[in-house]
Amino acid sequence: IAGVSLIVFAAALRSALRPFEGERAILSSILFGSGVAAGTVSLLQGLFTQVLADRVAIMGNPATIRALFDLNGEGDTYKLLALGVFLGAVALLVFHTHALPRWIGWVAAVLAPLLVIAGWNFALSTSVQYAAYTVLLVVLLLWVVAVSVVSLRRAERRTSA
């Protein structure tokens, strides 16, 4: 569900921000592409988990179980990298176009590198990485809610004006 939701959110945000960018629309394209990439990795992680739970665990092959488990975990590195690019593109768009309030851009600008670093499971201990995931993903979800509310209110004002 998370992967599909992320792709839908990226598409909606691209549609909302693209008109502010002009004809080239490079940043909104990066935003969309990185959102699709992160969503796709999330969907693949769900697939690995489902196959692991439904098929491979029954076989009892430790090497195959470990490989699928590692694929699922290592996917976070790439998913969080794509989310960092997504948030970086949003931040730049907000700062250049003022299409959304600046604080939304600042939150995205702070979250972007933190999510990328949190995905470096080779550099962080498991407990630090888990704590970082927990805090950063809660902040990310709150940011998504804030962007959605601001966007809906702006759309409502335009239709009522």
Side-chain angles (χ1 to χ4, degrees), residues 104-119:
I104 286 177
W106 280 112
V107 172
V110 169
L111 273 176
L114 292 176
L115 283 170
V116 172
I117 292 168

Side-chain angles (χ1 to χ4, degrees), residues 1-8 34-50 71-83 137 140:
I1 294 174
V4 173
S5 298
L6 181 56
I7 292 168
V8 169
S34 58
V36 168
T40 301
V41 171
S42 182
L43 289 169
L44 286 172
Q45 286 177 301
L47 172 67
F48 296 145
T49 302
Q50 191 68 39
L71 277 170
N72 188 47
E74 296 297 322
D76 284 338
T77 300
Y78 300 100
K79 178 173 60 183
L80 293 175
L81 174 63
L83 280 172
L137 294 180
L140 178 62

Side-chain angles (χ1 to χ4, degrees), residues 112-128:
L114 292 176
L115 283 170
V116 172
I117 292 168
W120 293 348
N121 53 9
F122 55 87
L124 301 173
S125 71
T126 304
S127 59
V128 170

Side-chain angles (χ1 to χ4, degrees), residues 10-87:
L13 199 54
R14 178 187 188 203
S15 294
L17 296 178
R18 188 175 181 160
F20 292 93
E21 198 175 5
E23 285 195 31
R24 294 189 70 197
I26 294 171
L27 288 173
S28 60
S29 295
I30 292 170
L31 173 159
F32 180 65
S34 58
V36 168
T40 301
V41 171
S42 182
L43 289 169
L44 286 172
Q45 286 177 301
L47 172 67
F48 296 145
T49 302
Q50 191 68 39
V51 168
L52 183 59
D54 289 349
R55 305 266 192 255
V56 177
I58 295 169
M59 294 171 21
N61 183 332
T64 306
I65 291 169
R66 184 66 195 187
L68 282 171
F69 180 79
D70 287 344
L71 277 170
N72 188 47
E74 296 297 322
D76 284 338
T77 300
Y78 300 100
K79 178 173 60 183
L80 293 175
L81 174 63
L83 280 172
V85 172
F86 171 83
L87 289 166

